[in-house]
Amino acid sequence: MESMYNDLEKVLFTKEQIDARIKEVAKELDKDYEGKRPIMVSILKGSIMFYADLLRAMTIKTEMDFMAISSYGNATKSSGEVKMIKDLDRSIEGRHIVIVEDIVDTGYTLNYLKATLKTRNPASVKICALLNKQERRVVDIAADYTCFEVGDEFVVGYGLDYAQIYRNLPVIGVLKKEVYSS
Ligand code: 5GP
């Protein structure tokens, strides 16, 4: 039988580990944003699993909105070019914004997103990332909330893809090298 698991070299984080860590981060957000009704902005498509679980783990009132930006395409290296594909539906003036992203790698994407949203006069803009790949950072930007640190490896699962595949893996893992080269 075809299984995505056969393509993994190793599992970095199990669903149980992800759930436990998300609960902790959700608690922090509940505390920091109590009474502020933040707009939680999901960056499509990589953040969807994280976003859905994080928001359900939160207990304060929040609103949802979505943005899509161009990323890697089918390659595994960032070009530094960022383009908006889908903008937010509503104005964010005077509102507290939390950008929910899958992974901060070079930092180009978040740098662009944060700068773009800040021009719209929100009350605040913070970043909540599932993963941080510090070793590869080019732009000096850090997430305000991070679930896990990863090394300089290409990871998939739990929303993260390779050529649009593996997003529905419930775990986060490293792909076998032969998957890229085939
Ligand atoms: P940055 O602009 O920080 O270099 O890259 C951010 C985007 O690149 C992420 O939102 C994600 O879509 C993609 N990316 C960076 N590293 C990885 C990785 O290890 N695996 C996958 N699947 N995507 C990654």
Side-chain angles (χ1 to χ4, degrees):
M1 253 243 319
E2 178 183 84
S3 167
M4 293 182 286
Y5 289 93
N6 294 337
D7 294 350
L8 292 185
E9 186 183 295
K10 61 183 171 196
V11 171
L12 293 178
F13 305 107
T14 63
K15 185 69 174 78
E16 291 71 32
Q17 288 173 311
I18 296 168
D19 286 345
R21 181 67 188 123
I22 284 179
K23 266 191 199 142
E24 294 175 353
V25 173
K27 225 178 227 175
E28 276 185 63
L29 288 165
D30 274 350
K31 183 162 63 73
D32 296 351
Y33 287 92
E34 177 160 23
K36 291 185 174 166
R37 191 79 61 95
I39 300 179
M40 307 295 290
V41 176
S42 165
I43 309 304
L44 298 170
K45 307 169 201 162
S47 80
I48 55 163
M49 302 296 181
F50 176 44
Y51 185 76
D53 285 343
L54 178 72
L55 267 71
R56 280 180 294 183
M58 291 172 71
T59 59
I60 61 163
K61 291 176 181 171
T62 63
E63 292 177 30
M64 293 186 174
D65 210 339
F66 300 84
M67 264 180 127
I69 39 117
S70 67
S71 63
Y72 279 359
N74 286 356
T76 56
K77 287 275 180 297
S78 177
S79 64
E81 268 176 58
V82 181
K83 198 177 81 196
M84 195 186 300
I85 294 165
K86 188 221 169 291
D87 203 345
L88 298 173
D89 290 341
R90 286 162 298 147
S91 160
I92 57 168
E93 197 170 341
R95 301 295 305 270
H96 293 282
I97 306 303
V98 181
I99 299 172
V100 181
E101 177 62 305
D102 53 359
I103 183 165
V104 191
D105 185 21
T106 61
Y108 287 126
T109 306
L110 278 178
N111 192 45
Y112 166 86
L113 282 171
K114 207 169 178 181
T116 302
L117 295 186
K118 277 198 163 166
T119 63
R120 303 178 187 180
N121 301 317
S124 68
V125 179
K126 286 201 172 173
I127 298 162
C128 180
L130 173 66
L131 303 172
N132 182 40
K133 210 191 263 185
Q134 194 62 39
E135 276 174 56
R136 299 226 331 139
R137 196 73 91 255
V138 177
V139 185
D140 183 23
I141 192 162
D144 303 279
Y145 307 86
T146 303
C147 292
F148 301 106
E149 298 288 331
V150 292
D152 186 5
E153 293 177 299
F154 192 76
V155 298
V156 296
Y158 199 65
L160 290 124
D161 75 310
Y162 172 65
Q164 298 304 325
I165 310 172
Y166 309 106
R167 292 194 197 276
N168 59 319
L169 265 175
V171 302
I172 297 168
V174 178
L175 270 187
K176 286 179 183 163
K177 292 275 182 314
E178 65 222 50
V179 177
Y180 305 102
S181 39
S182 67

